[in-house]
Amino acid sequence: MEENQPKTGKFSRNYGIILGVLSIVFAFMLYVAGLQYEQSISLFIVNLSIMSGVIIFGIYKFREANGNLLTISEAIKVGIGIALVGTIIGVIYQMIFINFIEPDFIANMMEAQKMEMITQNPNMSQKEIDTAVSMMEKFSGPFLSAAIGLIGGLFLGLIISFIGGLILKKQESSY
């Protein structure tokens, strides 16, 4: 069976590309709808559902190609690989978006976050607002947000693949 075992890299690459394309399509839909500054739990859930669906499906297809056998470590390898490829594609799109499609994105996002902060905390002093805005500026650079996006994508990919591996694992019977 060892010589016929499928390569995890092939599944990671193929389904990672699918994840990246779906992420770009979703981000572009938000942009067209004027929701690119929206940071709601429902949009996070949609994004998480896309990621989970593609990773779980990729792990399932790997198991299918592997004679219906799957270990948790194989699931994690495939899932992390899918998350890595998909997140890299998403980060590249994000960089293109921030630098070419909407160069004012970071400034507009900061303003939207500032207004949300003021709305949620109307008793904040100007000094507290300025301090919070200063902190946001430190963490809002395109490269830092790309790094955070990559780390976050890999972390979510790890969790999703582990859970998917627990659900989908099948080992050879010893009898």
Side-chain angles (χ1 to χ4, degrees):
M1 183 73 177
E2 279 298 312
E3 60 273 351
N4 294 333
Q5 187 172 16
K7 303 282 186 224
T8 58
K10 173 186 164 192
F11 287 85
S12 296
R13 182 188 66 240
N14 292 345
Y15 288 96
I17 290 170
I18 291 169
L19 175 59
V21 168
L22 288 175
S23 297
I24 290 171
V25 168
F26 183 63
F28 190 71
M29 286 172 44
L30 292 176
Y31 175 67
V32 169
L35 298 172
Q36 69 271 30
Y37 303 112
E38 189 73 29
Q39 293 193 345
S40 68
I41 190 73
S42 58
L43 293 180
F44 174 76
I45 289 171
V46 171
N47 240 340
L48 185 62
S49 298
I50 292 169
M51 185 178 206
S52 299
V54 173
I55 289 174
I56 299 293
F57 189 70
I59 292 170
Y60 173 77
K61 292 308 260 182
F62 177 83
R63 183 183 84 175
E64 209 174 63
N66 194 32
N68 218 25
L69 300 174
L70 178 74
T71 64
I72 292 177
S73 67
E74 289 170 330
I76 290 173
K77 283 181 200 173
V78 172
I80 290 277
I82 292 170
L84 177 64
V85 172
T87 303
I88 288 172
I89 291 170
V91 165
I92 290 170
Y93 169 76
Q94 178 186 17
M95 299 305 274
I96 291 169
F97 181 81
I98 289 171
N99 290 305
F100 301 108
I101 298 172
E102 189 163 343
D104 295 333
F105 177 78
I106 291 178
N108 293 341
M109 178 60 102
M110 296 271 300
E111 187 60 31
Q113 288 177 343
K114 179 181 173 184
M115 296 309 292
E116 179 71 21
M117 180 179 53
I118 292 169
T119 302
Q120 289 181 354
N121 305 301
N123 297 330
M124 284 182 83
S125 69
Q126 187 60 44
K127 184 176 183 200
E128 291 172 321
I129 293 171
D130 293 341
T131 303
V133 168
S134 171
M135 288 299 291
M136 284 191 294
E137 286 172 350
K138 289 179 184 175
F139 292 103
S140 68
F143 295 108
L144 185 59
S145 61
I148 291 169
L150 186 61
I151 292 167
L154 289 175
F155 180 71
L156 286 174
L158 173 66
I159 292 169
I160 294 165
S161 357
F162 179 70
I163 293 169
L166 287 174
I167 294 168
L168 295 172
K169 81 173 181 171
K170 279 195 176 179
Q171 298 175 334
E172 279 186 290
S173 300
S174 57
Y175 53 95

